[in-house]
Each structure stands twice: as C-alpha cells, then as structure tokens.
Amino acid sequence: MPVIDSIDADTFEYNLGGISILGFSWTLGQSGVARKPPKKKTDPMPSPVMAGGLFTIDRKWFFELGGYDEEFKYWGGEEMEISWKIWQCGGRLECIPCSGVGHIFRSSTHWQGAVYKVPPGWVNRNRLRAASVWMDPKHIELVKSSTPRLPGNMTVGDLSKMLEIKEKLQCKSFSWYLENVYPE
C-alpha cells in the first residue's frame, strides 16, 4: 500500500508524508502507529491495518479471500476487514514508503462529520460484522462495549459465508494477530 500524502483542499498544495502505518482502537477507528523506521527508505513497513481501498493485491488471492464482504453497505469497516483477513489468512500488509498517492482531505469549511450521509447504524454495522468474523469472542465483546448499539432491529446479518471462508483458509486467530502483527 502507498503512503497517502495530503493535498490541501483550498490551495492544492501537495504535502508529503501523510498516512502510512495504521492501527485501530476498540471503537474500530484508525490511528497512526509509531514504529521504528525501516533501514532503507525503500524497505516495506508492515502495517496492522490500512486506510481503505488503496492497496494492490493479486486478483486471484483477493477473491480466494472472499473479496470485500458483500453484506457491507455504504462505507466503513472494509479497511479493518480486508486488513485482518490478509494477515490472519497468511498474507502481509505492507506500506511501501517510496510509493505515494495524493488525497484531498476536506477542510473544516467542507467537513460536516461524515464523508457523506449514511442512514444511522450502517457504518457501525459494517465494523461489527468485520469484528464478528475476524476477532476472537473476548475481543468482539471489547468492540461491542466501545461502540454504539445498532438501532432498532438492525443486526450484523448472516456471517456464515465469511466464516466459511475463514475456516476453509484455516486463518489464524485474532489473538495471534495481536501478538504478531499489532502488539502495541
């Protein structure tokens, strides 16, 4: 995955050194992770999660992994789901520091708390789906206790297809992931 540099929304000035290695909180929000810099500026840096759809992957393996969860709606959670899936099912997610992509981040003038309007509960539902498939039960409970409840009769839905892929690929546990990928 590339480093995501920022482009100023008002001046279009390109600023190097934006988002690179990411972790997450128990609310399943992204957060930067400070790690020892690589020996060479071009050495790949392992990243626990990524910022979304900015990555390259072998197409065949992407679909072997089940692609993105087809039950996700709108946005949110896909960055956690694909990251955990890659690591737990035998792959590596690496930031390539000499690869960059520019992103125009909304200025405070244009930011209104969300990328675009999403009906209540959907972003959290996606995140809870990802957690329910890829985390161990004790970690799922941490996420549930840290995030808002789903509204009304909304549920995470049927997880059987994603759990079947996890079983078929003999993916590692979330405890393994925390010990080996994201010990911070």
Side-chain angles (χ1 to χ4, degrees), residues 112-150:
Q112 297 178 5
V115 177
Y116 54 87
K117 300 286 182 212
V118 174
W122 283 99
V123 172
N124 196 38
R125 177 189 182 269
N126 293 345
R127 290 175 176 168
L128 287 170
R129 272 188 71 82
S132 297
V133 172
W134 297 101
M135 289 185 169
D136 301 338
K138 67 181 177 183
H139 302 110
I140 296 167
E141 291 309 312
L142 280 170
V143 170
K144 285 181 177 178
S145 68
S146 303
T147 56
R149 298 186 90 148
L150 295 176

PDB file of all heavy atoms in Angstrom, residues 112-150:
ATOM      1  N   GLN A 112     -18.328  17.950   7.418  1.00  0.00           N
ATOM      2  CA  GLN A 112     -19.539  18.005   8.236  1.00  0.00           C
ATOM      3  C   GLN A 112     -19.733  16.716   9.026  1.00  0.00           C
ATOM      4  O   GLN A 112     -20.847  16.258   9.225  1.00  0.00           O
ATOM      5  CB  GLN A 112     -20.746  18.307   7.355  1.00  0.00           C
ATOM      6  CG  GLN A 112     -20.630  19.669   6.693  1.00  0.00           C
ATOM      7  CD  GLN A 112     -21.783  19.979   5.775  1.00  0.00           C
ATOM      8  OE1 GLN A 112     -22.743  19.225   5.686  1.00  0.00           O
ATOM      9  NE2 GLN A 112     -21.696  21.090   5.088  1.00  0.00           N
ATOM     10  N   GLY A 113     -18.634  16.105   9.450  1.00  0.00           N
ATOM     11  CA  GLY A 113     -18.715  14.951  10.329  1.00  0.00           C
ATOM     12  C   GLY A 113     -18.812  13.599   9.655  1.00  0.00           C
ATOM     13  O   GLY A 113     -18.766  12.578  10.309  1.00  0.00           O
ATOM     14  N   ALA A 114     -18.985  13.564   8.344  1.00  0.00           N
ATOM     15  CA  ALA A 114     -19.048  12.297   7.629  1.00  0.00           C
ATOM     16  C   ALA A 114     -18.685  12.541   6.173  1.00  0.00           C
ATOM     17  O   ALA A 114     -18.865  13.642   5.657  1.00  0.00           O
ATOM     18  CB  ALA A 114     -20.449  11.695   7.724  1.00  0.00           C
ATOM     19  N   VAL A 115     -18.192  11.498   5.530  1.00  0.00           N
ATOM     20  CA  VAL A 115     -17.831  11.616   4.122  1.00  0.00           C
ATOM     21  C   VAL A 115     -19.080  11.951   3.317  1.00  0.00           C
ATOM     22  O   VAL A 115     -19.080  12.832   2.478  1.00  0.00           O
ATOM     23  CB  VAL A 115     -17.180  10.307   3.622  1.00  0.00           C
ATOM     24  CG1 VAL A 115     -16.866  10.381   2.149  1.00  0.00           C
ATOM     25  CG2 VAL A 115     -15.932  10.017   4.425  1.00  0.00           C
ATOM     26  N   TYR A 116     -20.149  11.242   3.574  1.00  0.00           N
ATOM     27  CA  TYR A 116     -21.460  11.548   3.012  1.00  0.00           C
ATOM     28  C   TYR A 116     -22.502  10.950   3.944  1.00  0.00           C
ATOM     29  O   TYR A 116     -22.189  10.129   4.791  1.00  0.00           O
ATOM     30  CB  TYR A 116     -21.614  11.050   1.566  1.00  0.00           C
ATOM     31  CG  TYR A 116     -21.312   9.586   1.353  1.00  0.00           C
ATOM     32  CD1 TYR A 116     -22.299   8.620   1.529  1.00  0.00           C
ATOM     33  CD2 TYR A 116     -20.044   9.169   0.977  1.00  0.00           C
ATOM     34  CE1 TYR A 116     -22.023   7.285   1.345  1.00  0.00           C
ATOM     35  CE2 TYR A 116     -19.756   7.823   0.785  1.00  0.00           C
ATOM     36  CZ  TYR A 116     -20.751   6.896   0.961  1.00  0.00           C
ATOM     37  OH  TYR A 116     -20.479   5.568   0.777  1.00  0.00           O
ATOM     38  N   LYS A 117     -23.724  11.381   3.800  1.00  0.00           N
ATOM     39  CA  LYS A 117     -24.788  10.947   4.704  1.00  0.00           C
ATOM     40  C   LYS A 117     -25.064   9.451   4.542  1.00  0.00           C
ATOM     41  O   LYS A 117     -25.257   8.958   3.440  1.00  0.00           O
ATOM     42  CB  LYS A 117     -26.079  11.733   4.446  1.00  0.00           C
ATOM     43  CG  LYS A 117     -25.930  13.228   4.650  1.00  0.00           C
ATOM     44  CD  LYS A 117     -25.843  13.562   6.109  1.00  0.00           C
ATOM     45  CE  LYS A 117     -25.753  15.068   6.291  1.00  0.00           C
ATOM     46  NZ  LYS A 117     -24.997  15.482   7.409  1.00  0.00           N
ATOM     47  N   VAL A 118     -25.063   8.761   5.673  1.00  0.00           N
ATOM     48  CA  VAL A 118     -25.340   7.332   5.720  1.00  0.00           C
ATOM     49  C   VAL A 118     -26.444   7.134   6.760  1.00  0.00           C
ATOM     50  O   VAL A 118     -26.378   7.712   7.840  1.00  0.00           O
ATOM     51  CB  VAL A 118     -24.069   6.544   6.143  1.00  0.00           C
ATOM     52  CG1 VAL A 118     -24.369   5.080   6.347  1.00  0.00           C
ATOM     53  CG2 VAL A 118     -22.974   6.726   5.110  1.00  0.00           C
ATOM     54  N   PRO A 119     -27.457   6.334   6.438  1.00  0.00           N
ATOM     55  CA  PRO A 119     -28.504   6.089   7.433  1.00  0.00           C
ATOM     56  C   PRO A 119     -27.913   5.583   8.753  1.00  0.00           C
ATOM     57  O   PRO A 119     -26.898   4.877   8.754  1.00  0.00           O
ATOM     58  CB  PRO A 119     -29.383   5.015   6.775  1.00  0.00           C
ATOM     59  CG  PRO A 119     -29.142   5.168   5.307  1.00  0.00           C
ATOM     60  CD  PRO A 119     -27.704   5.612   5.183  1.00  0.00           C
ATOM     61  N   PRO A 120     -28.529   5.935   9.872  1.00  0.00           N
ATOM     62  CA  PRO A 120     -27.995   5.568  11.186  1.00  0.00           C
ATOM     63  C   PRO A 120     -27.696   4.069  11.327  1.00  0.00           C
ATOM     64  O   PRO A 120     -28.485   3.231  10.915  1.00  0.00           O
ATOM     65  CB  PRO A 120     -29.108   5.984  12.151  1.00  0.00           C
ATOM     66  CG  PRO A 120     -29.895   7.007  11.417  1.00  0.00           C
ATOM     67  CD  PRO A 120     -29.788   6.655   9.956  1.00  0.00           C
ATOM     68  N   GLY A 121     -26.540   3.787  11.902  1.00  0.00           N
ATOM     69  CA  GLY A 121     -26.188   2.419  12.252  1.00  0.00           C
ATOM     70  C   GLY A 121     -25.384   1.650  11.225  1.00  0.00           C
ATOM     71  O   GLY A 121     -24.741   0.653  11.571  1.00  0.00           O
ATOM     72  N   TRP A 122     -25.377   2.074   9.969  1.00  0.00           N
ATOM     73  CA  TRP A 122     -24.765   1.246   8.933  1.00  0.00           C
ATOM     74  C   TRP A 122     -23.253   1.147   9.033  1.00  0.00           C
ATOM     75  O   TRP A 122     -22.676   0.088   8.810  1.00  0.00           O
ATOM     76  CB  TRP A 122     -25.197   1.704   7.540  1.00  0.00           C
ATOM     77  CG  TRP A 122     -26.579   1.243   7.248  1.00  0.00           C
ATOM     78  CD1 TRP A 122     -27.729   1.976   7.346  1.00  0.00           C
ATOM     79  CD2 TRP A 122     -26.983  -0.079   6.884  1.00  0.00           C
ATOM     80  NE1 TRP A 122     -28.818   1.196   7.049  1.00  0.00           N
ATOM     81  CE2 TRP A 122     -28.389  -0.066   6.757  1.00  0.00           C
ATOM     82  CE3 TRP A 122     -26.304  -1.258   6.649  1.00  0.00           C
ATOM     83  CZ2 TRP A 122     -29.113  -1.204   6.404  1.00  0.00           C
ATOM     84  CZ3 TRP A 122     -27.030  -2.386   6.285  1.00  0.00           C
ATOM     85  CH2 TRP A 122     -28.416  -2.348   6.173  1.00  0.00           C
ATOM     86  N   VAL A 123     -22.569   2.238   9.322  1.00  0.00           N
ATOM     87  CA  VAL A 123     -21.112   2.183   9.449  1.00  0.00           C
ATOM     88  C   VAL A 123     -20.743   1.265  10.620  1.00  0.00           C
ATOM     89  O   VAL A 123     -19.868   0.400  10.496  1.00  0.00           O
ATOM     90  CB  VAL A 123     -20.501   3.592   9.615  1.00  0.00           C
ATOM     91  CG1 VAL A 123     -19.020   3.510   9.944  1.00  0.00           C
ATOM     92  CG2 VAL A 123     -20.729   4.421   8.359  1.00  0.00           C
ATOM     93  N   ASN A 124     -21.445   1.432  11.733  1.00  0.00           N
ATOM     94  CA  ASN A 124     -21.177   0.591  12.902  1.00  0.00           C
ATOM     95  C   ASN A 124     -21.512  -0.871  12.610  1.00  0.00           C
ATOM     96  O   ASN A 124     -20.800  -1.784  13.041  1.00  0.00           O
ATOM     97  CB  ASN A 124     -21.963   1.099  14.104  1.00  0.00           C
ATOM     98  CG  ASN A 124     -21.444   0.521  15.396  1.00  0.00           C
ATOM     99  OD1 ASN A 124     -20.245   0.346  15.574  1.00  0.00           O
ATOM    100  ND2 ASN A 124     -22.355   0.207  16.300  1.00  0.00           N
ATOM    101  N   ARG A 125     -22.574  -1.124  11.860  1.00  0.00           N
ATOM    102  CA  ARG A 125     -22.945  -2.493  11.496  1.00  0.00           C
ATOM    103  C   ARG A 125     -21.812  -3.150  10.711  1.00  0.00           C
ATOM    104  O   ARG A 125     -21.436  -4.291  10.976  1.00  0.00           O
ATOM    105  CB  ARG A 125     -24.212  -2.504  10.659  1.00  0.00           C
ATOM    106  CG  ARG A 125     -24.606  -3.900  10.185  1.00  0.00           C
ATOM    107  CD  ARG A 125     -25.754  -3.842   9.173  1.00  0.00           C
ATOM    108  NE  ARG A 125     -26.156  -5.161   8.747  1.00  0.00           N
ATOM    109  CZ  ARG A 125     -25.659  -5.797   7.695  1.00  0.00           C
ATOM    110  NH1 ARG A 125     -24.713  -5.237   6.956  1.00  0.00           N
ATOM    111  NH2 ARG A 125     -26.096  -6.995   7.361  1.00  0.00           N
ATOM    112  N   ASN A 126     -21.247  -2.434   9.729  1.00  0.00           N
ATOM    113  CA  ASN A 126     -20.148  -2.986   8.938  1.00  0.00           C
ATOM    114  C   ASN A 126     -18.967  -3.335   9.836  1.00  0.00           C
ATOM    115  O   ASN A 126     -18.361  -4.403   9.711  1.00  0.00           O
ATOM    116  CB  ASN A 126     -19.687  -1.989   7.877  1.00  0.00           C
ATOM    117  CG  ASN A 126     -20.723  -1.746   6.802  1.00  0.00           C
ATOM    118  OD1 ASN A 126     -21.684  -2.489   6.654  1.00  0.00           O
ATOM    119  ND2 ASN A 126     -20.523  -0.682   6.048  1.00  0.00           N
ATOM    120  N   ARG A 127     -18.637  -2.426  10.726  1.00  0.00           N
ATOM    121  CA  ARG A 127     -17.496  -2.654  11.619  1.00  0.00           C
ATOM    122  C   ARG A 127     -17.751  -3.847  12.540  1.00  0.00           C
ATOM    123  O   ARG A 127     -16.860  -4.659  12.789  1.00  0.00           O
ATOM    124  CB  ARG A 127     -17.210  -1.389  12.427  1.00  0.00           C
ATOM    125  CG  ARG A 127     -16.648  -0.275  11.565  1.00  0.00           C
ATOM    126  CD  ARG A 127     -16.479   1.001  12.339  1.00  0.00           C
ATOM    127  NE  ARG A 127     -15.846   2.018  11.517  1.00  0.00           N
ATOM    128  CZ  ARG A 127     -15.782   3.281  11.835  1.00  0.00           C
ATOM    129  NH1 ARG A 127     -16.308   3.716  12.983  1.00  0.00           N
ATOM    130  NH2 ARG A 127     -15.189   4.146  11.028  1.00  0.00           N
ATOM    131  N   LEU A 128     -18.966  -3.945  13.046  1.00  0.00           N
ATOM    132  CA  LEU A 128     -19.310  -5.077  13.914  1.00  0.00           C
ATOM    133  C   LEU A 128     -19.314  -6.398  13.145  1.00  0.00           C
ATOM    134  O   LEU A 128     -18.950  -7.438  13.689  1.00  0.00           O
ATOM    135  CB  LEU A 128     -20.660  -4.847  14.600  1.00  0.00           C
ATOM    136  CG  LEU A 128     -20.655  -3.794  15.710  1.00  0.00           C
ATOM    137  CD1 LEU A 128     -22.087  -3.478  16.150  1.00  0.00           C
ATOM    138  CD2 LEU A 128     -19.819  -4.262  16.890  1.00  0.00           C
ATOM    139  N   ARG A 129     -19.714  -6.364  11.863  1.00  0.00           N
ATOM    140  CA  ARG A 129     -19.635  -7.576  11.027  1.00  0.00           C
ATOM    141  C   ARG A 129     -18.191  -8.030  10.928  1.00  0.00           C
ATOM    142  O   ARG A 129     -17.887  -9.212  11.100  1.00  0.00           O
ATOM    143  CB  ARG A 129     -20.167  -7.306   9.612  1.00  0.00           C
ATOM    144  CG  ARG A 129     -21.634  -7.494   9.422  1.00  0.00           C
ATOM    145  CD  ARG A 129     -22.020  -7.390   7.952  1.00  0.00           C
ATOM    146  NE  ARG A 129     -21.572  -8.533   7.162  1.00  0.00           N
ATOM    147  CZ  ARG A 129     -22.198  -9.699   7.076  1.00  0.00           C
ATOM    148  NH1 ARG A 129     -23.319  -9.892   7.752  1.00  0.00           N
ATOM    149  NH2 ARG A 129     -21.731 -10.677   6.320  1.00  0.00           N
ATOM    150  N   ALA A 130     -17.297  -7.089  10.624  1.00  0.00           N
ATOM    151  CA  ALA A 130     -15.875  -7.433  10.487  1.00  0.00           C
ATOM    152  C   ALA A 130     -15.346  -8.017  11.792  1.00  0.00           C
ATOM    153  O   ALA A 130     -14.676  -9.052  11.797  1.00  0.00           O
ATOM    154  CB  ALA A 130     -15.070  -6.202  10.074  1.00  0.00           C
ATOM    155  N   ALA A 131     -15.658  -7.368  12.904  1.00  0.00           N
ATOM    156  CA  ALA A 131     -15.200  -7.849  14.212  1.00  0.00           C
ATOM    157  C   ALA A 131     -15.767  -9.234  14.506  1.00  0.00           C
ATOM    158  O   ALA A 131     -15.058 -10.117  15.002  1.00  0.00           O
ATOM    159  CB  ALA A 131     -15.603  -6.868  15.306  1.00  0.00           C
ATOM    160  N   SER A 132     -17.036  -9.444  14.189  1.00  0.00           N
ATOM    161  CA  SER A 132     -17.699 -10.715  14.491  1.00  0.00           C
ATOM    162  C   SER A 132     -17.112 -11.885  13.711  1.00  0.00           C
ATOM    163  O   SER A 132     -17.176 -13.029  14.154  1.00  0.00           O
ATOM    164  CB  SER A 132     -19.198 -10.611  14.209  1.00  0.00           C
ATOM    165  OG  SER A 132     -19.782  -9.648  15.064  1.00  0.00           O
ATOM    166  N   VAL A 133     -16.525 -11.611  12.556  1.00  0.00           N
ATOM    167  CA  VAL A 133     -15.906 -12.668  11.755  1.00  0.00           C
ATOM    168  C   VAL A 133     -14.448 -12.870  12.143  1.00  0.00           C
ATOM    169  O   VAL A 133     -14.002 -13.998  12.337  1.00  0.00           O
ATOM    170  CB  VAL A 133     -16.009 -12.358  10.243  1.00  0.00           C
ATOM    171  CG1 VAL A 133     -15.193 -13.341   9.418  1.00  0.00           C
ATOM    172  CG2 VAL A 133     -17.463 -12.359   9.793  1.00  0.00           C
ATOM    173  N   TRP A 134     -13.688 -11.785  12.289  1.00  0.00           N
ATOM    174  CA  TRP A 134     -12.235 -11.889  12.370  1.00  0.00           C
ATOM    175  C   TRP A 134     -11.669 -11.819  13.773  1.00  0.00           C
ATOM    176  O   TRP A 134     -10.505 -12.150  13.990  1.00  0.00           O
ATOM    177  CB  TRP A 134     -11.585 -10.856  11.449  1.00  0.00           C
ATOM    178  CG  TRP A 134     -11.973 -11.184  10.050  1.00  0.00           C
ATOM    179  CD1 TRP A 134     -12.936 -10.574   9.293  1.00  0.00           C
ATOM    180  CD2 TRP A 134     -11.486 -12.277   9.271  1.00  0.00           C
ATOM    181  NE1 TRP A 134     -13.065 -11.216   8.090  1.00  0.00           N
ATOM    182  CE2 TRP A 134     -12.190 -12.272   8.051  1.00  0.00           C
ATOM    183  CE3 TRP A 134     -10.529 -13.261   9.490  1.00  0.00           C
ATOM    184  CZ2 TRP A 134     -11.952 -13.209   7.047  1.00  0.00           C
ATOM    185  CZ3 TRP A 134     -10.290 -14.194   8.495  1.00  0.00           C
ATOM    186  CH2 TRP A 134     -11.006 -14.159   7.286  1.00  0.00           C
ATOM    187  N   MET A 135     -12.452 -11.384  14.749  1.00  0.00           N
ATOM    188  CA  MET A 135     -11.950 -11.307  16.123  1.00  0.00           C
ATOM    189  C   MET A 135     -12.361 -12.532  16.926  1.00  0.00           C
ATOM    190  O   MET A 135     -13.329 -13.214  16.586  1.00  0.00           O
ATOM    191  CB  MET A 135     -12.489 -10.049  16.814  1.00  0.00           C
ATOM    192  CG  MET A 135     -11.886  -8.783  16.307  1.00  0.00           C
ATOM    193  SD  MET A 135     -12.475  -7.383  17.293  1.00  0.00           S
ATOM    194  CE  MET A 135     -11.382  -6.115  16.696  1.00  0.00           C
ATOM    195  N   ASP A 136     -11.636 -12.767  18.016  1.00  0.00           N
ATOM    196  CA  ASP A 136     -11.995 -13.800  18.981  1.00  0.00           C
ATOM    197  C   ASP A 136     -13.123 -13.249  19.857  1.00  0.00           C
ATOM    198  O   ASP A 136     -13.271 -12.027  19.991  1.00  0.00           O
ATOM    199  CB  ASP A 136     -10.784 -14.150  19.856  1.00  0.00           C
ATOM    200  CG  ASP A 136      -9.583 -14.645  19.035  1.00  0.00           C
ATOM    201  OD1 ASP A 136      -9.778 -15.115  17.896  1.00  0.00           O
ATOM    202  OD2 ASP A 136      -8.452 -14.546  19.549  1.00  0.00           O
ATOM    203  N   PRO A 137     -13.937 -14.117  20.486  1.00  0.00           N
ATOM    204  CA  PRO A 137     -15.075 -13.654  21.284  1.00  0.00           C
ATOM    205  C   PRO A 137     -14.745 -12.564  22.307  1.00  0.00           C
ATOM    206  O   PRO A 137     -15.496 -11.587  22.442  1.00  0.00           O
ATOM    207  CB  PRO A 137     -15.573 -14.930  21.965  1.00  0.00           C
ATOM    208  CG  PRO A 137     -15.213 -16.017  20.993  1.00  0.00           C
ATOM    209  CD  PRO A 137     -13.883 -15.587  20.416  1.00  0.00           C
ATOM    210  N   LYS A 138     -13.635 -12.675  23.039  1.00  0.00           N
ATOM    211  CA  LYS A 138     -13.325 -11.652  24.050  1.00  0.00           C
ATOM    212  C   LYS A 138     -13.055 -10.292  23.417  1.00  0.00           C
ATOM    213  O   LYS A 138     -13.371  -9.262  24.002  1.00  0.00           O
ATOM    214  CB  LYS A 138     -12.159 -12.091  24.936  1.00  0.00           C
ATOM    215  CG  LYS A 138     -10.812 -12.198  24.228  1.00  0.00           C
ATOM    216  CD  LYS A 138      -9.728 -12.669  25.178  1.00  0.00           C
ATOM    217  CE  LYS A 138      -8.397 -12.841  24.467  1.00  0.00           C
ATOM    218  NZ  LYS A 138      -7.370 -13.362  25.353  1.00  0.00           N
ATOM    219  N   HIS A 139     -12.506 -10.280  22.209  1.00  0.00           N
ATOM    220  CA  HIS A 139     -12.236  -9.014  21.527  1.00  0.00           C
ATOM    221  C   HIS A 139     -13.518  -8.427  20.934  1.00  0.00           C
ATOM    222  O   HIS A 139     -13.694  -7.211  20.916  1.00  0.00           O
ATOM    223  CB  HIS A 139     -11.168  -9.208  20.455  1.00  0.00           C
ATOM    224  CG  HIS A 139      -9.894  -9.742  21.016  1.00  0.00           C
ATOM    225  ND1 HIS A 139      -9.463 -11.023  20.767  1.00  0.00           N
ATOM    226  CD2 HIS A 139      -8.993  -9.195  21.861  1.00  0.00           C
ATOM    227  CE1 HIS A 139      -8.333 -11.233  21.421  1.00  0.00           C
ATOM    228  NE2 HIS A 139      -8.022 -10.152  22.092  1.00  0.00           N
ATOM    229  N   ILE A 140     -14.403  -9.296  20.465  1.00  0.00           N
ATOM    230  CA  ILE A 140     -15.702  -8.832  19.959  1.00  0.00           C
ATOM    231  C   ILE A 140     -16.438  -8.095  21.084  1.00  0.00           C
ATOM    232  O   ILE A 140     -17.035  -7.045  20.865  1.00  0.00           O
ATOM    233  CB  ILE A 140     -16.553 -10.012  19.430  1.00  0.00           C
ATOM    234  CG1 ILE A 140     -15.875 -10.657  18.222  1.00  0.00           C
ATOM    235  CG2 ILE A 140     -17.963  -9.551  19.076  1.00  0.00           C
ATOM    236  CD1 ILE A 140     -16.474 -12.001  17.819  1.00  0.00           C
ATOM    237  N   GLU A 141     -16.378  -8.645  22.283  1.00  0.00           N
ATOM    238  CA  GLU A 141     -17.041  -8.001  23.430  1.00  0.00           C
ATOM    239  C   GLU A 141     -16.432  -6.634  23.727  1.00  0.00           C
ATOM    240  O   GLU A 141     -17.157  -5.697  24.085  1.00  0.00           O
ATOM    241  CB  GLU A 141     -17.004  -8.911  24.659  1.00  0.00           C
ATOM    242  CG  GLU A 141     -17.883 -10.147  24.527  1.00  0.00           C
ATOM    243  CD  GLU A 141     -19.321  -9.818  24.103  1.00  0.00           C
ATOM    244  OE1 GLU A 141     -19.939  -8.911  24.687  1.00  0.00           O
ATOM    245  OE2 GLU A 141     -19.818 -10.479  23.175  1.00  0.00           O
ATOM    246  N   LEU A 142     -15.121  -6.497  23.592  1.00  0.00           N
ATOM    247  CA  LEU A 142     -14.480  -5.185  23.778  1.00  0.00           C
ATOM    248  C   LEU A 142     -15.010  -4.176  22.766  1.00  0.00           C
ATOM    249  O   LEU A 142     -15.300  -3.028  23.099  1.00  0.00           O
ATOM    250  CB  LEU A 142     -12.960  -5.296  23.620  1.00  0.00           C
ATOM    251  CG  LEU A 142     -12.167  -5.812  24.793  1.00  0.00           C
ATOM    252  CD1 LEU A 142     -10.719  -6.085  24.382  1.00  0.00           C
ATOM    253  CD2 LEU A 142     -12.211  -4.826  25.944  1.00  0.00           C
ATOM    254  N   VAL A 143     -15.138  -4.605  21.517  1.00  0.00           N
ATOM    255  CA  VAL A 143     -15.664  -3.725  20.476  1.00  0.00           C
ATOM    256  C   VAL A 143     -17.113  -3.353  20.777  1.00  0.00           C
ATOM    257  O   VAL A 143     -17.490  -2.181  20.716  1.00  0.00           O
ATOM    258  CB  VAL A 143     -15.539  -4.376  19.073  1.00  0.00           C
ATOM    259  CG1 VAL A 143     -16.299  -3.586  18.028  1.00  0.00           C
ATOM    260  CG2 VAL A 143     -14.076  -4.509  18.680  1.00  0.00           C
ATOM    261  N   LYS A 144     -17.925  -4.329  21.116  1.00  0.00           N
ATOM    262  CA  LYS A 144     -19.338  -4.068  21.410  1.00  0.00           C
ATOM    263  C   LYS A 144     -19.499  -3.102  22.577  1.00  0.00           C
ATOM    264  O   LYS A 144     -20.391  -2.255  22.563  1.00  0.00           O
ATOM    265  CB  LYS A 144     -20.082  -5.374  21.703  1.00  0.00           C
ATOM    266  CG  LYS A 144     -20.365  -6.192  20.468  1.00  0.00           C
ATOM    267  CD  LYS A 144     -21.132  -7.462  20.837  1.00  0.00           C
ATOM    268  CE  LYS A 144     -21.485  -8.273  19.621  1.00  0.00           C
ATOM    269  NZ  LYS A 144     -22.173  -9.518  19.967  1.00  0.00           N
ATOM    270  N   SER A 145     -18.635  -3.216  23.583  1.00  0.00           N
ATOM    271  CA  SER A 145     -18.751  -2.328  24.745  1.00  0.00           C
ATOM    272  C   SER A 145     -18.199  -0.927  24.449  1.00  0.00           C
ATOM    273  O   SER A 145     -18.443  -0.002  25.214  1.00  0.00           O
ATOM    274  CB  SER A 145     -18.038  -2.930  25.959  1.00  0.00           C
ATOM    275  OG  SER A 145     -16.644  -2.957  25.755  1.00  0.00           O
ATOM    276  N   SER A 146     -17.483  -0.769  23.344  1.00  0.00           N
ATOM    277  CA  SER A 146     -16.874   0.519  22.998  1.00  0.00           C
ATOM    278  C   SER A 146     -17.602   1.258  21.887  1.00  0.00           C
ATOM    279  O   SER A 146     -17.253   2.391  21.570  1.00  0.00           O
ATOM    280  CB  SER A 146     -15.423   0.299  22.550  1.00  0.00           C
ATOM    281  OG  SER A 146     -14.689  -0.348  23.540  1.00  0.00           O
ATOM    282  N   THR A 147     -18.587   0.613  21.271  1.00  0.00           N
ATOM    283  CA  THR A 147     -19.284   1.229  20.137  1.00  0.00           C
ATOM    284  C   THR A 147     -20.778   1.327  20.426  1.00  0.00           C
ATOM    285  O   THR A 147     -21.318   0.575  21.233  1.00  0.00           O
ATOM    286  CB  THR A 147     -19.068   0.399  18.850  1.00  0.00           C
ATOM    287  OG1 THR A 147     -19.487  -0.950  19.084  1.00  0.00           O
ATOM    288  CG2 THR A 147     -17.612   0.397  18.425  1.00  0.00           C
ATOM    289  N   PRO A 148     -21.443   2.245  19.728  1.00  0.00           N
ATOM    290  CA  PRO A 148     -22.902   2.374  19.923  1.00  0.00           C
ATOM    291  C   PRO A 148     -23.639   1.104  19.512  1.00  0.00           C
ATOM    292  O   PRO A 148     -23.204   0.387  18.605  1.00  0.00           O
ATOM    293  CB  PRO A 148     -23.282   3.532  18.999  1.00  0.00           C
ATOM    294  CG  PRO A 148     -22.017   4.225  18.653  1.00  0.00           C
ATOM    295  CD  PRO A 148     -20.927   3.219  18.769  1.00  0.00           C
ATOM    296  N   ARG A 149     -24.752   0.855  20.180  1.00  0.00           N
ATOM    297  CA  ARG A 149     -25.597  -0.293  19.815  1.00  0.00           C
ATOM    298  C   ARG A 149     -26.226  -0.036  18.459  1.00  0.00           C
ATOM    299  O   ARG A 149     -26.447   1.107  18.073  1.00  0.00           O
ATOM    300  CB  ARG A 149     -26.696  -0.480  20.852  1.00  0.00           C
ATOM    301  CG  ARG A 149     -26.146  -0.796  22.232  1.00  0.00           C
ATOM    302  CD  ARG A 149     -27.276  -1.108  23.130  1.00  0.00           C
ATOM    303  NE  ARG A 149     -27.473  -2.556  23.003  1.00  0.00           N
ATOM    304  CZ  ARG A 149     -27.897  -3.319  23.975  1.00  0.00           C
ATOM    305  NH1 ARG A 149     -28.214  -2.802  25.123  1.00  0.00           N
ATOM    306  NH2 ARG A 149     -28.026  -4.606  23.805  1.00  0.00           N
ATOM    307  N   LEU A 150     -26.525  -1.109  17.764  1.00  0.00           N
ATOM    308  CA  LEU A 150     -27.197  -0.973  16.478  1.00  0.00           C
ATOM    309  C   LEU A 150     -28.639  -0.537  16.716  1.00  0.00           C
ATOM    310  O   LEU A 150     -29.282  -0.984  17.676  1.00  0.00           O
ATOM    311  CB  LEU A 150     -27.166  -2.299  15.709  1.00  0.00           C
ATOM    312  CG  LEU A 150     -25.783  -2.773  15.284  1.00  0.00           C
ATOM    313  CD1 LEU A 150     -25.879  -4.142  14.609  1.00  0.00           C
ATOM    314  CD2 LEU A 150     -25.115  -1.772  14.370  1.00  0.00           C
TER     315      LEU A 150
END
